[in-house]
Amino acid sequence: MESRGSNSPPDPAVAGPLPYEGVWRFTAPAVDVSVPQARHAVRDLLERQQVPVGGDTVQGLLLIVSELVTNAVRHAALLSPEIAVEVAVGTSWIRVSVEDNHPYRPKALEADHGQTGGRGLMLVREITGEAGGTCGVEQTANGGKVVWAALPLVATVTSPRSTPSAL
């Protein structure tokens, strides 16, 4: 898994980003083994940068990463042999996104208890909403897509039905 980051230590004489703020991007082949690798890379990044995020938020975030990377591997690999996972951390929020080159824009399915799969984006939407965050899908300049979720670093409890989402 290739990793690139844009974080540099802050200069104490200049007011600037906090030590944990920055944007990091990991690329990986669109294969099954990339799912746990992406999850571990995000977890390790949060620990290394000492991002002040609670345990429940970390677990939700890692589940979101797993679901988004799994979707890219399962549904986009034919047109996108490589995927990118990006982690952006601000002063009070964290955003994870997965980019692929497939043009199809996914939508969260409604619960169908007879179905054994297809609930990943619904799960992402629910986790994000419960944490007080938001999620969505954006098209890229090359015709692919970025599926993302942003969570507050300090969880706020909200009703999942009241949180808008593009998924």
Side-chain angles (χ1 to χ4, degrees), residues 31-122:
V31 295
D32 289 338
V33 72
S34 294
V35 176
Q37 288 177 344
R39 186 176 56 247
H40 294 303
V42 170
R43 183 197 63 217
D44 293 347
L45 171 69
L46 296 177
E47 289 174 3
R48 184 175 63 249
Q49 294 304 126
Q50 299 179 355
V51 177
V53 61
D56 288 344
T57 302
V58 169
Q59 292 307 311
L61 190 68
L62 296 178
L63 183 54
I64 288 169
V65 168
S66 292
E67 291 297 333
L68 296 183
V69 173
T70 296
N71 282 352
V73 167
R74 287 191 180 158
H75 304 294
L78 185 62
L79 295 177
S80 186
E82 185 174 80
I83 60 171
V85 177
E86 187 172 279
V87 180
V89 183
T91 57
S92 60
W93 52 268
I94 183 166
R95 181 181 190 243
V96 294
S97 60
V98 175
E99 180 178 342
D100 64 58
N101 292 322
H102 198 290
Y104 175 72
R105 289 178 58 123
K107 293 188 192 283
L109 300 176
E110 294 305 316
D112 178 354
H113 299 290
Q115 196 174 1
T116 58
R119 294 190 201 109
L121 289 178
M122 185 174 68

Side-chain angles (χ1 to χ4, degrees), residues 17-34:
L18 295 170
Y20 60 82
E21 288 183 87
V23 177
W24 297 266
R25 188 172 177 90
F26 307 95
T27 57
V31 295
D32 289 338
V33 72
S34 294

Side-chain angles (χ1 to χ4, degrees), residues 1 12 21-22 44 47 62 73 78 83 97-98 120 125 138-139 146 153 157-158 161 163:
M1 182 171 276
E21 288 183 87
D44 293 347
E47 289 174 3
L62 296 178
V73 167
L78 185 62
I83 60 171
S97 60
V98 175
R125 184 178 62 201
E138 299 168 358
Q139 219 158 349
V146 176
L153 290 179
V157 180
T158 63
R161 296 182 197 278
T163 304

Side-chain angles (χ1 to χ4, degrees), residues 147-158:
V147 185
W148 58 271
L151 304 176
L153 290 179
V154 178
T156 57
V157 180
T158 63

